PDB file of all heavy atoms in Angstrom:
ATOM      1  N   PHE A  20       5.378  13.518 -23.998  1.00 97.00           N
ATOM      2  CA  PHE A  20       6.195  12.652 -24.851  1.00 97.00           C
ATOM      3  C   PHE A  20       6.397  11.274 -24.204  1.00 97.00           C
ATOM      4  O   PHE A  20       5.897  10.255 -24.699  1.00 97.00           O
ATOM      5  CB  PHE A  20       7.512  13.389 -25.140  1.00 97.00           C
ATOM      6  CG  PHE A  20       8.665  12.523 -25.528  1.00 97.00           C
ATOM      7  CD1 PHE A  20       8.548  11.592 -26.554  1.00 97.00           C
ATOM      8  CD2 PHE A  20       9.891  12.624 -24.867  1.00 97.00           C
ATOM      9  CE1 PHE A  20       9.619  10.782 -26.915  1.00 97.00           C
ATOM     10  CE2 PHE A  20      10.965  11.833 -25.225  1.00 97.00           C
ATOM     11  CZ  PHE A  20      10.830  10.900 -26.235  1.00 97.00           C
ATOM     12  N   ILE A  21       7.079  11.199 -23.071  1.00 98.00           N
ATOM     13  CA  ILE A  21       7.344   9.894 -22.439  1.00 98.00           C
ATOM     14  C   ILE A  21       6.042   9.299 -21.895  1.00 98.00           C
ATOM     15  O   ILE A  21       5.773   8.105 -22.055  1.00 98.00           O
ATOM     16  CB  ILE A  21       8.389  10.033 -21.300  1.00 98.00           C
ATOM     17  CG1 ILE A  21       9.736  10.515 -21.861  1.00 98.00           C
ATOM     18  CG2 ILE A  21       8.558   8.704 -20.564  1.00 98.00           C
ATOM     19  CD1 ILE A  21      10.766  10.856 -20.797  1.00 98.00           C
ATOM     20  N   ASP A  40      -3.258  15.130 -16.914  1.00 98.00           N
ATOM     21  CA  ASP A  40      -2.381  16.112 -17.561  1.00 98.00           C
ATOM     22  C   ASP A  40      -3.040  17.486 -17.555  1.00 98.00           C
ATOM     23  O   ASP A  40      -4.261  17.584 -17.629  1.00 98.00           O
ATOM     24  CB  ASP A  40      -2.100  15.667 -19.013  1.00 98.00           C
ATOM     25  CG  ASP A  40      -0.755  16.171 -19.510  1.00 98.00           C
ATOM     26  OD1 ASP A  40      -0.605  17.390 -19.655  1.00 98.00           O
ATOM     27  OD2 ASP A  40       0.149  15.342 -19.725  1.00 98.00           O
ATOM     28  N   THR A  44       2.545  21.062 -21.991  1.00 96.00           N
ATOM     29  CA  THR A  44       3.351  20.597 -23.136  1.00 96.00           C
ATOM     30  C   THR A  44       2.812  19.280 -23.694  1.00 96.00           C
ATOM     31  O   THR A  44       3.335  18.774 -24.680  1.00 96.00           O
ATOM     32  CB  THR A  44       4.833  20.408 -22.729  1.00 96.00           C
ATOM     33  OG1 THR A  44       4.878  19.609 -21.545  1.00 96.00           O
ATOM     34  CG2 THR A  44       5.515  21.730 -22.488  1.00 96.00           C
ATOM     35  N   GLY A  45       1.811  18.729 -23.053  1.00 97.00           N
ATOM     36  CA  GLY A  45       1.207  17.485 -23.544  1.00 97.00           C
ATOM     37  C   GLY A  45       0.126  17.795 -24.570  1.00 97.00           C
ATOM     38  O   GLY A  45      -0.359  18.925 -24.653  1.00 97.00           O
ATOM     39  N   ASP A  65      -4.249  19.812 -12.813  1.00 98.00           N
ATOM     40  CA  ASP A  65      -2.904  20.320 -12.555  1.00 98.00           C
ATOM     41  C   ASP A  65      -2.453  19.764 -11.208  1.00 98.00           C
ATOM     42  O   ASP A  65      -3.169  19.919 -10.208  1.00 98.00           O
ATOM     43  CB  ASP A  65      -2.967  21.856 -12.519  1.00 98.00           C
ATOM     44  CG  ASP A  65      -1.584  22.454 -12.585  1.00 98.00           C
ATOM     45  OD1 ASP A  65      -0.731  22.049 -11.763  1.00 98.00           O
ATOM     46  OD2 ASP A  65      -1.352  23.299 -13.457  1.00 98.00           O
ATOM     47  N   LEU A  80       5.126  11.926 -13.728  1.00 98.00           N
ATOM     48  CA  LEU A  80       5.936  12.509 -14.811  1.00 98.00           C
ATOM     49  C   LEU A  80       5.585  13.970 -15.067  1.00 98.00           C
ATOM     50  O   LEU A  80       6.216  14.601 -15.918  1.00 98.00           O
ATOM     51  CB  LEU A  80       5.706  11.730 -16.117  1.00 98.00           C
ATOM     52  CG  LEU A  80       6.520  10.466 -16.352  1.00 98.00           C
ATOM     53  CD1 LEU A  80       6.182   9.376 -15.355  1.00 98.00           C
ATOM     54  CD2 LEU A  80       6.281   9.941 -17.759  1.00 98.00           C
ATOM     55  N   TYR A 152      14.135  23.825 -12.366  1.00 97.00           N
ATOM     56  CA  TYR A 152      13.972  22.421 -12.753  1.00 97.00           C
ATOM     57  C   TYR A 152      14.891  21.539 -11.918  1.00 97.00           C
ATOM     58  O   TYR A 152      14.439  20.616 -11.239  1.00 97.00           O
ATOM     59  CB  TYR A 152      14.284  22.291 -14.243  1.00 97.00           C
ATOM     60  CG  TYR A 152      14.069  20.923 -14.828  1.00 97.00           C
ATOM     61  CD1 TYR A 152      12.787  20.446 -15.102  1.00 97.00           C
ATOM     62  CD2 TYR A 152      15.146  20.097 -15.129  1.00 97.00           C
ATOM     63  CE1 TYR A 152      12.589  19.184 -15.662  1.00 97.00           C
ATOM     64  CE2 TYR A 152      14.959  18.833 -15.694  1.00 97.00           C
ATOM     65  CZ  TYR A 152      13.683  18.380 -15.953  1.00 97.00           C
ATOM     66  OH  TYR A 152      13.499  17.141 -16.511  1.00 97.00           O
ATOM     67  N   LYS A 156      13.571  19.215  -8.953  1.00 98.00           N
ATOM     68  CA  LYS A 156      13.647  17.744  -9.020  1.00 98.00           C
ATOM     69  C   LYS A 156      14.434  17.194  -7.827  1.00 98.00           C
ATOM     70  O   LYS A 156      14.135  16.105  -7.330  1.00 98.00           O
ATOM     71  CB  LYS A 156      14.308  17.311 -10.329  1.00 98.00           C
ATOM     72  CG  LYS A 156      13.452  17.546 -11.564  1.00 98.00           C
ATOM     73  CD  LYS A 156      12.379  16.475 -11.722  1.00 98.00           C
ATOM     74  CE  LYS A 156      11.658  16.599 -13.054  1.00 98.00           C
ATOM     75  NZ  LYS A 156      10.604  15.597 -13.229  1.00 98.00           N
ATOM     76  N   THR A 182      16.363  11.529 -23.236  1.00 98.00           N
ATOM     77  CA  THR A 182      15.554  10.536 -23.946  1.00 98.00           C
ATOM     78  C   THR A 182      14.913  11.200 -25.163  1.00 98.00           C
ATOM     79  O   THR A 182      14.562  12.374 -25.111  1.00 98.00           O
ATOM     80  CB  THR A 182      14.484   9.980 -22.980  1.00 98.00           C
ATOM     81  OG1 THR A 182      15.171   9.348 -21.892  1.00 98.00           O
ATOM     82  CG2 THR A 182      13.585   8.962 -23.634  1.00 98.00           C
ATOM     83  N   ARG A 193      14.619  20.988 -27.617  1.00 94.00           N
ATOM     84  CA  ARG A 193      15.621  19.985 -27.261  1.00 94.00           C
ATOM     85  C   ARG A 193      16.426  19.610 -28.495  1.00 94.00           C
ATOM     86  O   ARG A 193      15.986  19.769 -29.630  1.00 94.00           O
ATOM     87  CB  ARG A 193      14.950  18.764 -26.635  1.00 94.00           C
ATOM     88  CG  ARG A 193      14.581  19.066 -25.196  1.00 94.00           C
ATOM     89  CD  ARG A 193      14.052  17.872 -24.466  1.00 94.00           C
ATOM     90  NE  ARG A 193      12.620  17.740 -24.608  1.00 94.00           N
ATOM     91  CZ  ARG A 193      11.888  16.862 -23.917  1.00 94.00           C
ATOM     92  NH1 ARG A 193      12.473  16.072 -23.053  1.00 94.00           N
ATOM     93  NH2 ARG A 193      10.580  16.786 -24.081  1.00 94.00           N
TER      94      ARG A 193
HETATM   95  P1  NAD B 416       6.823  16.521 -21.714  1.00 73.77           P
HETATM   96  O1  NAD B 416       6.903  17.991 -21.530  1.00 73.77           O
HETATM   97  O2  NAD B 416       6.496  15.978 -23.056  1.00 73.77           O
HETATM   98  O3  NAD B 416       5.798  15.879 -20.689  1.00 73.77           O
HETATM   99  C1  NAD B 416       5.441  16.466 -19.474  1.00 73.77           C
HETATM  100  C2  NAD B 416       3.932  16.343 -19.325  1.00 73.77           C
HETATM  101  O4  NAD B 416       3.545  16.880 -18.047  1.00 73.77           O
HETATM  102  C3  NAD B 416       3.172  17.138 -20.374  1.00 73.77           C
HETATM  103  O5  NAD B 416       2.129  16.356 -20.891  1.00 73.77           O
HETATM  104  C4  NAD B 416       2.644  18.332 -19.604  1.00 73.77           C
HETATM  105  O6  NAD B 416       1.467  18.888 -20.163  1.00 73.77           O
HETATM  106  C5  NAD B 416       2.431  17.737 -18.219  1.00 73.77           C
HETATM  107  N1  NAD B 416       2.460  18.704 -17.126  1.00 73.77           N
HETATM  108  C6  NAD B 416       3.374  19.678 -16.909  1.00 73.77           C
HETATM  109  N2  NAD B 416       3.103  20.331 -15.778  1.00 73.77           N
HETATM  110  C7  NAD B 416       1.977  19.755 -15.253  1.00 73.77           C
HETATM  111  C8  NAD B 416       1.204  19.997 -14.095  1.00 73.77           C
HETATM  112  N3  NAD B 416       1.518  20.967 -13.238  1.00 73.77           N
HETATM  113  N4  NAD B 416       0.113  19.216 -13.875  1.00 73.77           N
HETATM  114  C9  NAD B 416      -0.227  18.230 -14.751  1.00 73.77           C
HETATM  115  N5  NAD B 416       0.475  17.969 -15.867  1.00 73.77           N
HETATM  116  C10 NAD B 416       1.571  18.719 -16.113  1.00 73.77           C
HETATM  117  O7  NAD B 416       8.231  15.931 -21.214  1.00 73.77           O
HETATM  118  P2  NAD B 416       8.808  14.450 -21.209  1.00 73.77           P
HETATM  119  O8  NAD B 416      10.074  14.492 -21.948  1.00 73.77           O
HETATM  120  O9  NAD B 416       7.775  13.488 -21.584  1.00 73.77           O
HETATM  121  O10 NAD B 416       9.172  14.284 -19.662  1.00 73.77           O
HETATM  122  C11 NAD B 416       8.352  13.552 -18.778  1.00 73.77           C
HETATM  123  C12 NAD B 416       9.029  13.515 -17.401  1.00 73.77           C
HETATM  124  O11 NAD B 416      10.308  12.881 -17.516  1.00 73.77           O
HETATM  125  C13 NAD B 416       9.251  14.891 -16.795  1.00 73.77           C
HETATM  126  O12 NAD B 416       8.993  14.832 -15.415  1.00 73.77           O
HETATM  127  C14 NAD B 416      10.729  15.133 -17.034  1.00 73.77           C
HETATM  128  O13 NAD B 416      11.279  15.974 -16.055  1.00 73.77           O
HETATM  129  C15 NAD B 416      11.306  13.722 -16.961  1.00 73.77           C
HETATM  130  N6  NAD B 416      12.558  13.635 -17.712  1.00 73.77           N
HETATM  131  C16 NAD B 416      12.556  13.636 -19.089  1.00 73.77           C
HETATM  132  C17 NAD B 416      13.770  13.575 -19.761  1.00 73.77           C
HETATM  133  C18 NAD B 416      13.840  13.547 -21.271  1.00 73.77           C
HETATM  134  O14 NAD B 416      14.935  13.506 -21.810  1.00 73.77           O
HETATM  135  N7  NAD B 416      12.759  13.551 -21.999  1.00 73.77           N
HETATM  136  C19 NAD B 416      14.975  13.525 -19.050  1.00 73.77           C
HETATM  137  C20 NAD B 416      14.933  13.554 -17.665  1.00 73.77           C
HETATM  138  C21 NAD B 416      13.717  13.590 -16.997  1.00 73.77           C
END
Side-chain angles (χ1 to χ4, degrees):
F20 157 52
I21 297 172
D40 208 294
T44 51
D65 193 308
L80 276 66
Y152 184 76
K156 290 281 188 181
T182 299
R193 282 186 271 189

